[in-house]
Amino acid sequence: MSKTEFSGLEEHGLVNLARIHWNLTTPQLYEEAVKRREGLIAHLGPLVVRTGHHTGRSPNDKFIVDTDDVRKDVYWGSGNKAISEEHFERLFHRLQAYLQNKEVYVQECYAGADERHRLKVRVITEYAWHNLFARNMFIREFDLNIHESFTPDFTVIDVPRFHAIPEIDGTNSETFIIINFKKRLVLIGGTSYAGEIKKSIFTVMNYLLPKENVLSMHCSANVGNSDDVALFFGLSGTGKTTLSTDPNRYLIGDDEHGWSDEGVFNIEGGCYAKVIRLSKEAEPEIYECTRKFGTILENVTLDSRTRRVDLDDDSLTENTRASYPLSHLPRVVKDSKGGHPKNIIFLTYDAFGVLPPVAKLTFNQAMYHFISGYTAKVAGTERGVKEPRTTFSACFGAPFMVYHPAVYAKLLGEKVKKYDVDCWLINTGLTGGPYGVGTRFKIQHTRNIVNSILDGKLKNVEFVEDDIFGFLVPKYAPDVPEDVLNPRLAWNDKNAYDETKKRLAREFIENMKKFEDNISEDILKGAPKLVD
């Protein structure tokens, strides 16, 4: 039966809907969002929206349905909380009832630029602007009649105004993000933060791709004129988007990728950049995207009369965001695919202020730091985080990983060895002291370091082995002062620096204890060595 605007979602148990808006274009979704008072059009064309009290992800409200087919695969814990099939069905039935006589918006799109590893995704949303978000963030085909033959591999039903009842539904709050691999379905409710849509599908890909011997990665990727691909791993706020959006290179993607035997490919079709205090001078390409039609600006303040935005205003949240399609950027890889990387950069925001701005890693150290995923949770990225605090996030993306970190580390290690990839650690966080005392590394110094790595200028410079972490710190980098390369020189109290670094090393070692039973002795050789 041919789908019409009044039918076609019965397979998801959605019946008696007031209207189904199939695959609306960006202008149509703008019109719907404004008509429904979901957002305002700002000067030059971006759509400005607010996400309410959820201005970031809600990690404590994410669940995976505990079914027979995934039970033995999932690395259960705080990042992957189990919920029963009974609780899921009870909640889903009430959600289906809630949507009766309501309008919904549907985008049919893809996750995965490589057709061999592509997932067909149907996103059903209560809000028009959430549908535009899905249109921006996933990969779209330009055939407007795609839905006539589209059969989704996975479906997301996103209903912000529907709330769970924890006592009945087995959730932690009224908010829920639930992935059911058996039904190939994601339910999202009780939150208007659109990032939950993209991150839920990323979690799905982190389960499916390794089964195909493809490494799924929370990283950005770009490529130079000589086809040299670089990967940038890191959590939100560490600089993935900023550093990979380089005017001298071509962006493959800014957040989620797969690495197969054929090379690297983007999982998404758009970017989701933090824009708080975004500088036109330091980040010109991202800045221009905040001034374009089709961009969604989340929680950015807007002058009600002039309709001009203020990117410096953090009164709503530090986690202000821009969602825009890759086509908004001037230098992108059109098919979102590249070859095998020559360099891998692990980005960290060191809130203690003791790690150098750059260090070269041995293979064992690279695997150790990958599993450690040391960084800081940056203010506003998650609910309840008011200021940066240090954390360890395995694989630089623990909230989105489904398997034990050793599964992803094994895949990464095989590929690093096979393709002879150089691995680096870059600290974009603090220097001269811990949080409250130290200052953040200058973005230009970090850019100069990244450029030197990608141009091969750091490959053969003189290095000094760190006495505790063992990685190699360059004694020279073009256009970077010596006291920047050596963080100890930036501290007034050298003894305090030494003790702080030892304390951080102990935290690395303590954190790794929970993984020791599943990782090799070689990886443990990459651990810090404490010296009395």
Side-chain angles (χ1 to χ4, degrees):
M1 179 182 70
S2 176
K3 299 175 187 173
T4 72
E5 63 178 350
F6 295 106
S7 66
L9 298 184
E10 293 88 350
E11 62 196 274
H12 305 304
L14 303 182
V15 296
N16 299 325
L17 299 171
R19 186 173 185 181
I20 304 171
H21 300 273
W22 289 99
N23 296 309
L24 295 190
T25 62
T26 297
Q28 289 174 313
L29 288 168
Y30 258 63
E31 292 166 359
E32 289 291 317
V34 172
K35 180 179 69 176
R36 293 159 58 97
R37 298 186 178 182
E38 296 176 1
L40 296 171
I41 300 174
H43 176 67
L44 298 179
L47 181 69
V48 180
V49 299
R50 294 190 178 185
T51 64
H53 65 285
H54 286 275
T55 57
R57 290 187 303 105
S58 191
N60 292 329
D61 297 309
K62 175 193 165 191
F63 299 87
I64 294 176
V65 179
D66 183 10
T67 54
D68 293 339
D69 53 335
V70 302
R71 185 171 299 128
K72 292 181 180 179
D73 290 336
V74 177
Y75 181 53
W76 299 106
S78 60
N80 295 312
K81 290 178 287 295
I83 194 169
S84 70
E85 290 185 87
E86 292 75 18
H87 280 130
F88 177 87
E89 291 298 336
R90 186 180 298 125
L91 179 65
F92 189 27
H93 287 156
R94 290 208 327 277
L95 186 152
Q96 292 165 330
Y98 168 84
L99 283 177
Q100 292 196 37
N101 296 314
K102 289 183 172 60
E103 296 184 41
V104 296
Y105 298 84
V106 183
Q107 284 292 321
E108 292 170 319
C109 38
Y110 301 90
D114 188 331
E115 295 84 354
R116 289 161 292 199
H117 308 289
R118 174 173 281 184
L119 189 75
K120 292 189 286 187
V121 181
R122 174 178 287 160
V123 183
I124 304 166
T125 66
E126 182 179 22
Y127 292 164
W129 82 262
H130 275 201
N131 217 244
L132 178 59
F133 179 88
R135 185 175 176 82
N136 280 350
M137 298 311 303
F138 294 114
I139 298 167
R140 294 173 286 117
E141 296 288 349
F142 292 96
D143 177 7
L144 294 180
N145 295 317
I146 183 175
H147 67 285
E148 295 293 341
S149 58
F150 190 92
T151 302
D153 299 315
F154 236 92
T155 298
V156 178
I157 303 178
D158 170 67
V159 190
R161 290 177 178 162
F162 176 79
H163 296 82
I165 304 172
E167 298 80 6
I168 296 176
D169 300 317
T171 58
N172 290 327
S173 72
E174 294 182 345
T175 300
F176 57 90
I177 304 96
I178 306 176
I179 301 173
N180 190 324
F181 284 100
K182 186 176 181 179
K183 286 184 171 291
R184 304 184 80 80
L185 184 63
V186 177
L187 302 182
I188 301 173
T191 173
S192 295
Y193 184 66
E196 302 287 12
I197 298 172
K198 85 182 209 86
K199 287 305 185 186
S200 63
I201 289 299
F202 182 44
T203 303
V204 169
M205 295 296 272
N206 281 325
Y207 179 72
L208 298 178
L209 289 180
K211 288 180 176 292
E212 303 173 19
N213 200 39
V214 176
L215 173 63
S216 51
M217 306 175 292
H218 186 215
C219 71
S220 58
N222 64 23
V223 60
N225 290 322
S226 58
D227 293 331
D228 56 310
V229 173
L231 303 182
F232 300 78
F233 284 85
L235 291 183
S236 174
T238 58
K240 288 199 321 298
T241 299
T242 297
L243 294 172
S244 57
T245 307
D246 186 327
N248 298 313
R249 295 172 67 84
Y250 292 86
L251 184 70
I252 299 173
D254 86 320
D255 195 49
E256 303 170 5
H257 289 82
W259 186 359
S260 70
D261 291 335
E262 289 74 33
V264 171
F265 61 90
N266 195 354
I267 290 174
E268 300 183 296
C271 297
Y272 194 39
K274 287 193 72 172
V275 295
I276 190 67
R277 291 177 287 277
L278 189 70
S279 165
K280 181 179 181 181
E281 291 71 31
E283 301 169 86
E285 294 187 353
I286 301 174
Y287 180 84
E288 284 304 315
C289 288
T290 67
R291 297 153 57 84
K292 291 186 176 182
F293 180 83
T295 292
I296 302 169
L297 296 179
E298 289 183 353
N299 300 314
V300 172
T301 59
L302 179 74
D303 186 294
S304 60
R305 186 180 66 83
T306 65
R307 290 294 198 267
R308 293 181 182 272
V309 300
D310 182 357
L311 298 179
D312 295 329
D313 190 334
D314 62 357
S315 58
L316 294 176
T317 178
E318 279 275 334
N319 194 36
T320 55
R321 293 271 180 170
S323 162
Y324 49 88
L326 282 166
S327 57
H328 273 18
L329 292 165
R331 294 171 66 86
V332 296
V333 179
K334 290 186 177 180
D335 66 357
S336 295
K337 292 184 283 189
H340 300 289
K342 292 186 176 180
N343 289 283
I344 290 176
I345 294 171
F346 298 138
L347 299 169
T348 183
Y349 181 104
D350 175 26
F352 286 121
V354 295
L355 293 183
V358 58
K360 190 172 184 180
L361 304 174
T362 65
F363 174 81
N364 292 338
Q365 289 167 354
M367 295 304 101
Y368 188 93
H369 280 270
F370 177 67
I371 291 178
S372 298
Y374 168 67
T375 188
K377 289 181 180 178
V378 181
T381 305
E382 292 181 3
R383 293 185 65 204
V385 179
K386 302 299 183 184
E387 61 183 38
R389 65 170 183 251
T390 57
T391 187
F392 291 92
S393 184
C395 310
F396 292 94
F400 322 119
M401 303 299 162
V402 180
Y403 300 103
H404 188 283
V407 173
Y408 305 100
K410 181 175 183 293
L411 281 169
L412 177 64
E414 291 171 351
K415 295 181 186 302
V416 166
K417 282 186 174 180
K418 183 175 182 179
Y419 301 107
D420 192 24
V421 185
D422 286 332
C423 297
W424 307 80
L425 179 70
I426 286 185
N427 176 19
T428 63
L430 304 181
T431 186
Y435 179 76
V437 177
T439 57
R440 191 162 191 180
F441 284 108
K442 293 181 180 179
I443 181 64
Q444 194 53 52
H445 287 157
T446 303
R447 283 193 183 280
N448 291 341
I449 288 169
V450 171
N451 290 339
S452 295
I453 288 173
L454 301 185
D455 292 341
K457 295 177 181 177
L458 290 189
K459 199 171 183 69
N460 298 309
V461 301
E462 185 178 355
F463 292 90
V464 176
E465 182 177 331
D466 186 88
D467 60 336
I468 292 179
F469 285 90
F471 43 50
L472 299 177
V473 181
K475 295 183 69 174
Y476 166 80
D479 301 315
V480 181
E482 180 185 359
D483 62 346
V484 174
L485 289 173
N486 185 344
R488 193 172 189 269
L489 297 178
W491 281 57
N492 293 324
D493 188 338
K494 303 299 191 280
N495 289 332
Y497 170 84
D498 294 338
E499 290 304 314
T500 303
K501 188 164 77 166
K502 289 179 182 178
R503 187 163 62 248
L504 178 59
R506 291 188 190 100
E507 290 194 34
F508 267 86
I509 294 168
E510 185 64 29
N511 171 71
M512 190 58 66
K513 288 180 179 178
K514 60 179 176 282
F515 303 127
E516 285 180 349
D517 292 341
N518 297 88
I519 59 177
S520 69
E521 286 295 325
D522 284 341
I523 292 177
L524 292 178
K525 292 177 182 177
K529 305 294 189 296
L530 288 174
V531 180
D532 293 330

